[in-house]
């Protein structure tokens, strides 16, 4: 039996489907598969199956021909979700794909992969929930020891791509760039973006810690402060604004006010993006922004912001990384103090001020 790369070369796929529906950070980490596929098969038609919430981040991508979006209908099994899944699978059957790549590795994505009917259906060998049963080929890259981006690059190399530095492209429009320029026009430099939300409670570094970093940035550098986040982060941003108002530090509140590509453009034009471990930090890093990630319960070696402009500060407790979504102790919030995070933020802001001089 020949290698996967030999089989792929013999197949010479004309229609390729990437299955990576979610989450935001995971979709961003998977973007480097696109230039690798374009190098291997420049004329192939490439589609990407993604959750509708993230469609805007892929629409118009120069290396992507089609975005196939669907709405999973909330968490768990719902009537709406089953209906959406059934319709999606029925549509995938019609598209006559030659190669399908499942980068999600869960039962739902495995079913999507099977629905494409592609003669080559590829996934990672640590796929869960039985997804691997739907593959014809598997690539080895453990999620417990290999960064998510490097796992994607191993898939590309298994298909025959030459080893290369991962490349991230976002379809940021001039319209998005102009919006970011106008939005930041009155904000003093260096401009510091704060993203204080996260889905897991254990990832949410305390608001008062973010406020302390912001106050130090204003005192030391005269930094302009911008808060971002989703609508679900409104309470956190309001709490941050109240603490900063007491300190006399103005804050531009953009919580719930940006699209994904507007946020990417904003991060690109700011001087530093400080965030919990949540999807938008990976979007900012992919846009080329300077980022500092704060990691309490997860492992930046596996899912940290990627690239030369990314830095992280992580908890050093005995239990870290615990990967717990809830915790009664939250000792990491004490151990990972503003004093631990500030030197990294300070160095990045000093670098930004120096480069602007």
């Amino acid at each position: 039996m020949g290698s996967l790369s030999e089989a792929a070369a013999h197949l010479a796929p004309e229609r390729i489907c990437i299955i990576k529906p979610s989450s935001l950070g995971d979709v961003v980490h998977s973007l480097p598969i696109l230039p690798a596929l374009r190098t291997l098969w420049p004329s192939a038609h490439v589609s990407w199956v993604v959750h509708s919430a993230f469609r805007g981040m892929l629409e118009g991508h120069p290396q992507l021909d089609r975005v196939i979006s669907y709405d999973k209908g909330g968490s768990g099994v719902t009537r709406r979700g089953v209906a959406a899944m059934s319709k999606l699978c029925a549509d995938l059957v019609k598209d006559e794909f030659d190669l399908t790549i499942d980068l999600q590795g869960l039962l739902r994505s495995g079913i999507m992969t099977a629905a494409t009917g592609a003669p080559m259906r590829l996934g990672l060998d640590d796929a869960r929930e039985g997804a691997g049963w739907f593959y014809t080929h598997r690539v080895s890259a453990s999620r417990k020891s290999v960064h998510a981006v490097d796992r994607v690059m191993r898939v590309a190399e298994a298909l025959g791509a030459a080893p290369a530095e991962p490349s991230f492209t976002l379809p940021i429009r001039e319209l998005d760039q102009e919006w970011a320029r106008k939005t930041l026009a009155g904000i003093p430099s260096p401009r510091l973006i704060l993203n204080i939300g996260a889905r897991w409670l254990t990832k949410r570094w305390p608001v008062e810690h973010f406020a302390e970093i912001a106050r130090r940035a204003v005192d030391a550098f005269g930094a302009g402060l911008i808060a971002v986040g989703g609508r679900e982060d409104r309470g956190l941003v309001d709490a941050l604004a109240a603490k900063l108002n007491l300190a006399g530090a103005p804050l531009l509140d953009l919580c719930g006010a940006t699209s994904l590509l507007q946020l990417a453009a904003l991060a690109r034009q700011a001087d530093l993006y400080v965030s919990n471990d949540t999807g938008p930090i990976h979007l900012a890093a992919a846009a080329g922004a300077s980022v500092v990630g704060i990691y309490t319960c997860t492992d930046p070696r596996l899912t940290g912001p990627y690239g030369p402009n990314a830095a992280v500060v992580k908890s050093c407790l005995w239990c870290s990384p615990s990967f717990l979504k809830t915790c009664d102790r939250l000792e990491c919030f004490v151990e990972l103090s503003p004093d631990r995070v500030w030197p990294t933020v300070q160095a990045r802001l000093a670098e930004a001020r120096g480069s602007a001089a």
Side-chain angles (χ1 to χ4, degrees):
M1 182 180 295
S3 67
L4 171 57
S5 59
E6 290 172 340
H10 178 74
L11 179 65
E14 295 181 1
R15 297 185 65 80
I16 300 172
C17 184
I18 299 166
I19 308 286
K20 188 62 171 178
S22 61
S23 59
L24 174 58
D26 293 340
V27 173
V28 172
H29 283 156
S30 301
L31 288 173
I33 195 73
L34 291 174
L37 294 176
R38 282 296 175 210
T39 299
L40 285 169
W41 301 292
S43 61
H45 185 281
V46 181
S47 299
W48 190 310
V49 176
V50 72
H51 190 276
S52 56
F54 310 123
R55 181 185 185 105
M57 190 183 72
L58 295 175
E59 199 82 61
H61 194 290
Q63 295 160 334
L64 192 57
D65 296 292
R66 184 185 176 200
V67 179
I68 304 172
S69 65
Y70 82 106
D71 186 348
K72 66 179 182 180
S75 60
V77 178
T78 65
R79 181 178 297 178
R80 190 178 71 175
V82 170
M85 184 71 165
S86 299
K87 182 180 184 306
L88 172 65
C89 289
D91 291 341
L92 291 174
V93 168
K94 302 173 186 176
D95 281 330
E96 300 183 348
F97 291 107
D98 304 305
L99 167 63
T100 299
I101 305 169
D102 179 10
L103 296 176
Q104 195 81 19
L106 296 174
L107 176 60
R108 190 191 305 261
S109 61
I111 294 172
M112 295 175 191
T113 299
T116 66
M120 179 176 284
R121 301 183 302 277
L122 173 64
L124 290 154
D125 65 356
D126 62 354
R128 295 168 288 176
E129 302 178 351
W133 287 104
F134 301 103
Y135 305 157
T136 61
H137 297 78
R138 297 169 182 81
V139 175
S140 178
S142 172
R143 70 182 69 247
K144 295 182 179 179
S145 60
V146 181
H147 192 283
V149 174
D150 297 322
R151 281 161 53 83
V152 169
M153 297 309 291
R154 288 196 186 179
V155 171
E157 291 170 18
L159 286 168
E165 188 70 23
S167 173
F168 297 85
T169 298
L170 294 171
I172 300 174
R173 305 164 299 174
E174 178 54 35
L175 187 66
D176 301 317
Q177 295 278 34
E178 180 60 23
W179 174 86
R181 282 192 288 270
K182 290 181 178 178
T183 300
L184 294 175
I187 306 300
S189 296
R191 295 159 172 165
L192 172 61
I193 295 180
L194 303 169
N195 186 23
I196 66 176
R199 184 174 301 175
W200 298 7
L201 173 64
T202 50
K203 290 182 180 182
R204 293 181 202 156
W205 203 51
V207 171
E208 55 267 27
H209 287 1
F210 274 103
E212 178 61 23
I213 292 296
R215 283 194 293 264
R216 294 186 189 189
V218 172
D219 290 344
F221 299 97
L225 306 176
I226 305 103
V228 297
R231 288 188 295 271
E232 66 276 11
D233 300 320
R234 170 46 57 199
L236 295 171
V237 173
D238 285 347
L240 176 68
K243 292 180 181 299
L244 292 176
N245 284 339
L246 289 174
L251 176 72
L252 175 61
D253 180 353
L254 295 178
C255 180
T258 68
S259 68
L260 290 175
L261 292 182
Q262 284 175 334
L263 180 60
L266 199 74
R268 180 182 287 179
Q269 293 184 34
D271 295 292
L272 183 61
Y273 191 103
V274 178
S275 173
N276 294 317
D277 173 20
T278 186
I281 192 175
H282 306 296
L283 183 68
S290 175
V291 304
V292 173
I294 301 171
Y295 276 65
T296 52
C297 63
T298 48
D299 192 345
R301 296 180 306 112
L302 305 180
T303 57
Y306 202 93
N309 296 325
V312 297
V313 186
K314 64 184 183 69
S315 171
C316 296
L317 284 180
W318 62 273
C319 58
S320 181
S322 67
F323 299 104
L324 294 175
K325 295 183 180 181
T326 60
C327 176
D328 294 331
R329 301 169 64 117
L330 293 176
E331 294 175 27
C332 55
F333 287 4
V334 177
E335 181 270 337
L336 190 53
S337 65
D339 285 341
R340 290 247 281 111
V341 174
W342 172 246
T344 303
V345 172
Q346 181 183 35
R348 289 299 180 99
L349 291 175
E351 182 181 342
R353 185 170 66 177
S355 64

